[in-house]
Amino acid sequence: MGYTKQTIAGFTWHSALIVGMTIVTGLKLMVLARLLTPHDFGIFSLVAIALGVTDALTQTGINITIIQSQQSVSYFINTAWVISILRGFVIAIVMSLLGVGMAYFYAEPSLQLWVVIAAVVPIIKGFINPAVITFHKELQFSRDSAYRFSLIVVEAVVTSLVALVTHSVNAFIVGMVAAAIFEVCISFAFFRTRPHFEWIPNRAAQIFANAKGLSIAALLSYLNDNADNFLVGKLLGVSTLGLYQNGYALSHKPTFGIAQAMNHSTMPIFSRLATSGERLHKAFYRSLFGLTVLLVAVAVPIIIFPELIIRVVLGDTWLSLVPAVPWLVAGAVLYGIANQGYTLLVSLQEYFTMNLHRALVIILFVGILFAQGSSAGLVGAAMAVFFARLICLPILGWLVVRKLKHT
């Protein structure tokens, strides 16, 4: 099977995964939106920020390093497992300390407790068998999709059941913990290759050498995705953040899911073609064109019928989101296109170029948001997301074309 067919196979399987995930996540959202308040969603968004920031700050890039390497997964597995376990405890400690500051910053005393409880998740996930990357590295897309889908189902079912009983934000936390435990269990059940607690310095050095660019990239990627949440929560309040977060999810899940499917299937292909010149050019431009067509096709109905979609998925309580959703959907399309450029740059280990663009988007977003002021509300935040991405996309295009000319 050629790389084009492998890309199509990977995209097909990952698209099936995204469709399944979107359905499951949509059903979960329909349940939770009717059981929990915007304030509950806002609190959980802040907990997720604490987890995401610390995760990005401690990014080692283990999976990407293994994919890029010509060595087998078993070559790295023991050292990768040790790094992953230690990293889980570091994340938990930093996350707990961050929770103290966030509780004060947002004037939400209960936030500290929720962050500390959620800090158990990275500790659990640190014990996941690194052999799971075999699915991706060896282009076993069907198995990878089944694996990932099972995690989404477990998290959605547990979260919904706990919400039905407690009507509390703790439903989110319990769902995350349950999914983490389940993932550790199946990561060992699915593979005969099992890690041992063994530290091999030269292999750790390979992982950490690659992590220098990836850790910055991970942090900037996270800030690119969540700087709006951080600022909306502070400027407009936690309850408004809950509204905004669901509007963002409603607009970004479908389009970003498609982008993820394409990124997931093309990343290993781009890595293999990194020195192939013309073949890499064709693979990138074909994937970008196909992705753009799909993104626009999915986005148009949401832009045209935002009120109907919000009523069906979230309910009438959330109708104040209607004016913001078209801006968020348009921003999601731009984000998906940019991510395909990032996928190419990561495969070529061009982290500086990618990080430069992400930093520009973040700086521009913050500038636009503050220039509008808090009076712009949800719509102003959504417009800041759209225009920051729109203005910076041509810059990324120029950087990518320039890099391709030198491969």
Side-chain angles (χ1 to χ4, degrees):
M1 182 182 289
Y3 286 140
T4 298
K5 292 183 178 179
Q6 287 178 323
T7 300
I8 293 172
F11 179 76
T12 301
W13 276 108
H14 206 70
S15 294
L17 168 65
I18 295 302
V19 170
M21 288 172 57
T22 301
I23 292 172
V24 172
T25 303
L27 292 173
K28 181 186 76 172
L29 190 58
M30 289 175 71
V31 172
L32 297 181
R34 289 163 173 81
L35 295 174
L36 305 177
T37 67
H39 188 267
D40 291 328
F41 277 93
I43 289 292
F44 177 68
S45 294
L46 296 177
V47 172
I49 287 174
L51 176 59
V53 167
T54 48
D55 180 76
L57 282 170
T58 58
Q59 184 63 248
T60 59
I62 292 173
N63 289 351
I64 292 178
T65 301
I66 294 174
I67 291 173
Q68 291 172 338
S69 174
Q70 300 303 312
Q71 300 285 353
S72 66
V73 174
S74 59
Y75 176 83
F76 288 101
I77 191 169
N78 292 343
T79 303
W81 196 49
V82 174
I83 293 173
S84 181
I85 291 170
L86 295 176
R87 176 174 174 263
F89 282 98
V90 171
I91 290 175
I93 294 170
V94 176
M95 186 175 169
S96 298
L97 295 174
L98 185 60
V100 176
M102 289 179 67
Y104 173 78
F105 185 76
Y106 289 102
E108 289 285 347
S110 64
L111 182 59
Q112 180 180 346
L113 175 62
W114 292 122
V115 171
V116 170
I117 295 173
V120 73
V121 173
I123 294 176
I124 297 170
K125 295 186 74 169
F127 288 88
I128 294 170
N129 182 357
V132 297
I133 196 58
T134 300
F135 290 145
H136 199 182
K137 183 177 178 69
E138 298 183 2
L139 310 180
Q140 298 175 11
F141 296 116
S142 59
R143 294 183 178 184
D144 186 50
S145 295
Y147 176 87
R148 293 170 182 268
F149 184 66
S150 66
L151 304 179
I152 297 298
V153 171
V154 169
E155 191 273 336
V157 170
V158 173
T159 302
S160 299
L161 289 176
V162 175
L164 283 168
V165 175
T166 66
H167 292 258
S168 168
V169 70
N170 63 17
F172 291 109
I173 312 299
V174 175
M176 290 171 60
V177 172
I181 294 172
F182 179 74
E183 184 170 9
V184 172
C185 293
I186 65 172
S187 72
F188 282 88
F190 277 24
F191 295 93
R192 292 182 180 180
T193 303
R194 307 266 175 92
H196 303 286
F197 204 84
E198 179 186 23
W199 180 267
I200 303 176
N202 68 318
R203 296 175 193 181
Q206 286 180 257
I207 294 172
F208 288 131
N210 209 24
K212 293 177 182 178
L214 287 172
S215 58
I216 298 173
L219 178 60
L220 289 172
S221 175
Y222 187 81
L223 291 176
N224 204 353
D225 291 345
N226 294 277
D228 51 346
N229 291 337
F230 185 84
L231 293 173
V232 168
K234 180 60 178 177
L235 295 175
L236 306 179
V238 175
S239 293
T240 302
L241 172 59
L243 286 165
Y244 178 81
Q245 181 62 29
N246 272 354
Y248 193 93
L250 193 65
S251 59
H252 278 63
K253 286 289 184 182
T255 51
F256 187 57
I258 293 172
Q260 276 186 313
M262 185 64 77
N263 301 159
H264 188 76
S265 58
T266 55
M267 169 68 183
I269 305 300
F270 290 165
S271 294
R272 294 186 183 191
L273 296 176
T275 58
S276 298
E278 187 64 26
R279 293 181 69 194
L280 178 61
H281 295 193
K282 290 181 179 179
F284 173 72
Y285 289 123
R286 285 176 181 175
S287 65
L288 182 63
F289 176 76
L291 174 63
T292 303
V293 171
L294 290 171
L295 288 174
V296 172
V298 171
V300 168
I302 305 175
I303 293 174
I304 296 175
F305 305 110
E307 182 174 346
L308 175 62
I309 293 173
I310 290 173
R311 284 185 186 276
V312 172
V313 178
L314 301 176
D316 292 348
T317 305
W318 304 83
L319 286 176
S320 56
L321 287 170
V322 171
V325 166
W327 292 103
L328 290 172
V329 175
V333 171
L334 299 175
Y335 184 70
I337 294 171
N339 261 289
Q340 190 63 7
Y342 294 158
T343 300
L344 175 70
L345 294 173
V346 169
S347 69
L348 298 175
Q349 300 186 30
E350 286 289 328
Y351 307 130
F352 176 80
T353 303
M354 177 177 63
N355 293 339
L356 175 63
H357 181 262
R358 281 178 165 156
L360 289 174
V361 174
I362 294 167
I363 292 169
L364 191 57
F365 165 76
V366 173
I368 294 172
L369 186 63
F370 274 101
Q372 293 181 110
S374 59
S375 60
L378 285 172
V379 176
M383 291 175 65
V385 169
F386 171 75
F387 283 110
R389 293 173 181 174
L390 178 65
I391 294 170
C392 292
L393 188 61
I395 299 173
L396 177 64
W398 177 76
L399 292 170
V400 167
V401 170
R402 185 178 176 214
K403 181 59 189 175
L404 282 173
K405 286 182 178 178
H406 292 86
T407 57

